[in-house]
Amino acid sequence: EVQLVESGGGVVQSGRSLRLSCVASGFNFDDYGMHWVRQAPGKGLEWVSLISWNSDATGYADSVKGRFTISRDNARNSLYLQMNSLRPEDTAVYFCAKAFYDTSGYYDFWGRGTLVTVSS
Amino acid sequence: EKVMTQSPATLSVSPGERATLSCRASQSVSSHVAWYQQKPGQAPRLLIFGASTRATGVPDRFSGSGSGTEFTLTISSLQSEDFAVYYCQQYNNWPPVTFGQGTRLEIK
């Protein structure tokens, strides 16, 4: 059974940093691209970042470029999101999502999410 | 960035009836559209990809159609478990991928 479990969320002041983690199981983690998608309270879904299976390719939404860094450790079946210079508008539930296949832009499995709250 | 616009924002339908949800892209996205279902407090669930291909385990009452800029998700006979929020997503020449704002399907 595929499982994605996020952690690392919490309440943080504006301008501070937070690191999210996502631990994967039930599939060959190093065969797939992984993404972070967020959802502000009561709002829709917003793509945040992607990383290819071997970390050669990464991408970021304009809203987080230069502040967030995605990484992965295939030996630990883990995905990370380092979030710096956080802003109140970054407040959201952050989901990690497995790409349907390595380079696909849609997702067949999602975690349950971790809530990040940025206070001003 | 390709903008996806869903309509209506809320759709009220009785169980057993058909529901038709629409999604329009600001420019052509070919058939690179996925649909997701999200229930309160849960992660999204992939229903459709490639505009019309059902994901594994998705009941055949769910169907997707369209190409270019106009897309439709149809639920042929609504069951109680189908009442949720539905999102379309485009993944043409990504990143970025972009999502519609969602359609809330509620019980009439």
Side-chain angles (χ1 to χ4, degrees), chain A residues 35 37 39 43-47 50 95 100 103-108 110-112, chain B residues 34 36 38 41-46 49 87 89 91 94-97 99-101:
Chain A
H35 297 236
V37 178
Q39 186 169 37
K43 302 297 184 181
L45 301 166
E46 179 189 17
W47 174 77
L50 73 96
F95 297 100
F100 189 83
T103 56
S104 71
Y106 56 97
Y107 321 112
D108 56 351
W110 301 58
R112 296 181 67 90
Chain B
Y36 300 88
Q38 188 179 33
Q42 297 186 17
R45 172 196 179 195
L46 177 65
F49 60 92
Y87 293 95
Q89 178 216 357
Y91 51 95
W94 64 281
V97 303
F99 295 87
Q101 80 280 18

Side-chain angles (χ1 to χ4, degrees), chain A residues 6-10 20-21 36 92-95 112-116:
Chain A
E6 303 93 337
S7 62
L20 305 184
S21 299
W36 289 99
V93 173
Y94 285 73
F95 297 100
R112 296 181 67 90
T114 186
L115 176 62
V116 172

Side-chain angles (χ1 to χ4, degrees), chain B residues 21-77:
Chain B
L21 290 67
S22 297
C23 179
R24 173 175 292 176
S26 60
Q27 56 187 284
S28 177
V29 295
S30 184
S31 295
H32 298 138
V33 166
W35 289 90
Y36 300 88
Q37 175 194 68
Q38 188 179 33
K39 297 180 180 179
Q42 297 186 17
R45 172 196 179 195
L46 177 65
L47 298 175
I48 300 285
F49 60 92
S52 60
T53 302
R54 273 189 302 276
T56 301
V58 175
D60 60 8
R61 64 180 181 272
F62 290 89
S63 63
S65 62
S67 65
T69 61
E70 300 286 341
F71 300 89
T72 300
L73 175 70
T74 302
I75 311 170
S76 60
S77 177

